[in-house]
Amino acid sequence: MLFRLLGHAQVETACGSVGVESAPVRGVLAALLLEEGRSVPVERLLHLLWEDPPGSARKDLRLHIARLRAQLGKLGLRDRLVTLRGGGGEGGYRLVARGEEVDAVVFRRLASQGLAELRAGAADAAETSLTTALSLWQGPIGQDCTASQRLKARFTAFDELHLTVRERLVEARLALGRTIDLIPEIQEILATAPFREASWAHLMRAYYLGGDAAGAIDAWERAGATLGERLGLDPSAQLRRLHLSILRRDCDAVRGPSPRPGERPTPAGTRSAAGYAR
């Protein structure tokens, strides 16, 4: 069984996939699932759904909860949605789901693992983890969901993590010796996020290590123009050093440290695996 939030909200069971009906109900589902089984007080849930909860918000929330419970009931999952009674009538709700039953949670955990492996130099292990993470991505989280800016910010964080995973997968594959075939993916990332210096560095490496030094120099010039004309910034010291290594034809410096095959370190967060500014 799998709750899907990456793309359109749906629930997958042995009998197939069932979409979750109505934007407010999808918003409730997303808000509860992202808490990974923790209870959510009513007041907090109201502010995750509405920027300025209307006077009817509590009544509306009870209606949305009832509709979500009914939809889960059709799949034999009615008891997963728990109502919690609290002092003063506050209470809250909890959606019982193990981490491995929520695609967004699995995606985040695999991303953390892959980034940790990449930092440790275990490029082949990182490639496996990051590829598996991306296989779960069916589109941005929170599509057609009722959500306040607070909840939308959580959705946006997943979009950023998705971009980072794509970028670091390229980095892992460069470390494993792939070059020219990575260029379309790098260019697609840069079309989405043209200010990510790590991807400009990847593009320069892919061209140079693939035998196209002129392409690498052109990528450097485009990086400088993009950063300078749009942001008024000079390329970072790391990017300048990479450019100098290319001019010197220093293949070892361009390639960077060799990966250590087979290592799988303990995940240690999701910081950038490279020193380049994002």
Side-chain angles (χ1 to χ4, degrees), residues 97-117:
R98 297 186 300 274
E100 62 270 20
E101 293 179 330
V102 183
D103 64 348
V105 174
V106 177
F107 174 80
R108 187 165 52 198
R109 291 177 181 177
L110 284 168
S112 177
Q113 177 174 304
L115 299 181
E117 289 163 343

Side-chain angles (χ1 to χ4, degrees), residues 182-192 203 207 222:
L182 298 174
I183 288 175
E185 170 68 4
I186 301 170
Q187 290 176 329
E188 189 174 316
I189 293 171
L190 285 169
T192 301
L203 187 62
Y207 274 120
R222 285 188 284 135

Side-chain angles (χ1 to χ4, degrees), residues 125-144:
E127 182 186 29
T128 298
S129 297
L130 298 174
T131 299
T132 305
L134 288 178
S135 71
L136 293 169
W137 191 269
Q138 297 188 350
I141 193 171
Q143 293 185 30
D144 302 321

